[in-house]
Amino acid sequence: PFWLKLVGRVAPAAHRPSSAELLDPASAAMGFVDLLGESLQSAAGSFGTSEALAGKKAVALYFSAHWCPPCRGFTPKLAEWYSKDLKGKGLEVVFVSSDRSDEDFSGYFKEMPWLALPYADREKREALSKKFGVHGIPSLVILDEAAKTITKEGRKAISEDSTGEELPWKPQKVSELLSGAKIVSREGREMGISEVMKEKAALAFYFSAHWC
């Protein structure tokens, strides 16, 4: 058989603007109106959704509740990361509450420096949980400028990059990851991915080791 191996570090691909980045901020933010409704809540009062989220590089939907111990542990960390770095780099957070009463929601929201879906809109919360497959909290879903899903593993992404160096945490395509890679044949000849894939229908990655 013809075997190849990938060697060296894979350089990140050059950034290509998304369709959302090509839109003006106001137009892109209209996707959030469809998703979240006309208005969002802040400590200072109610704001129009499109106005509040226009121009943001990413929006994190934060599914959480005060009765949830892991949520109470994660919220202060997220608030610190948001205030120190993430907000300034273009992230907005929208709290989607699973609290059991408006009073519980209000008390918990006082600990948060971001926006929230109005508690009264329970139907919208249920729809968002169903849309994004949220079955446990705390959960963070990261969306792009046009309200399209980047990742449902936002808690992991932000915890591993709390200063937002990789914000908005878009996963790279395999073709992008391999664009600058060196691939070596059994004979030791180095090739680029385009040469390797010539007249090939698929590429299989075999993760293995001699000690295994």
Side-chain angles (χ1 to χ4, degrees):
F2 183 62
W3 291 77
L4 304 170
K5 68 177 179 179
L6 181 66
V7 297
R9 297 182 63 185
V10 179
H15 173 71
R16 295 181 180 178
S18 65
S19 57
E21 290 174 310
L22 298 176
L23 294 173
D24 66 272
S27 297
M30 288 305 296
F32 288 106
V33 175
D34 295 335
L35 184 69
L36 303 173
E38 294 287 342
S39 64
L40 294 171
Q41 186 173 336
S42 76
S46 180
F47 286 88
T49 301
S50 59
E51 175 190 358
L53 301 182
K56 299 301 179 182
K57 193 171 183 179
V59 174
L61 302 184
Y62 182 39
F63 296 84
S64 183
H66 187 265
W67 53 260
C68 161
C71 299
R72 293 199 304 272
F74 182 67
T75 295
K77 296 178 183 178
L78 182 59
E80 178 184 352
W81 299 334
Y82 171 85
S83 299
K84 184 178 179 181
D85 293 296
L86 302 178
K87 181 179 181 181
K89 291 183 177 179
L91 178 73
E92 188 53 81
V93 178
V94 177
F95 172 39
V96 182
S97 173
S98 291
D99 287 298
R100 293 166 177 155
S101 70
D102 189 19
E103 183 179 3
D104 289 344
F105 160 78
S106 298
Y108 191 31
F109 187 44
K110 288 179 181 178
E111 303 174 17
M112 303 178 185
W114 44 69
L115 305 172
L117 186 76
Y119 183 79
D121 199 346
R122 297 289 80 195
E123 184 176 332
K124 182 71 70 177
R125 183 199 65 89
E126 292 291 342
L128 290 170
S129 295
K130 182 177 181 179
K131 177 180 177 65
F132 296 110
V134 176
H135 301 295
I137 53 175
S139 179
L140 273 170
V141 176
I142 309 294
L143 309 176
D144 69 10
E145 308 94 320
K148 304 299 183 183
T149 305
I150 293 176
T151 179
K152 296 180 183 179
E153 300 295 330
R155 182 183 176 191
K156 180 176 183 291
I158 292 179
S159 295
E160 294 178 351
D161 179 32
S162 60
T163 60
E165 297 302 313
E166 302 296 328
L167 195 157
W169 306 288
K170 291 184 179 180
Q172 284 187 290
K173 297 178 181 179
V174 173
S175 58
E176 294 173 339
L177 287 170
L178 294 177
S179 62
K182 294 179 180 179
I183 300 176
V184 182
S185 70
R186 292 185 64 177
E187 292 74 29
R189 187 168 69 87
E190 293 186 357
M191 295 173 284
I193 187 62
S194 59
E195 182 180 357
V196 171
M197 291 304 296
K198 187 176 181 180
E199 298 182 358
K200 300 292 192 301
L203 177 67
F205 291 92
Y206 180 43
F207 296 85
S208 183
H210 184 266
W211 52 260
C212 170

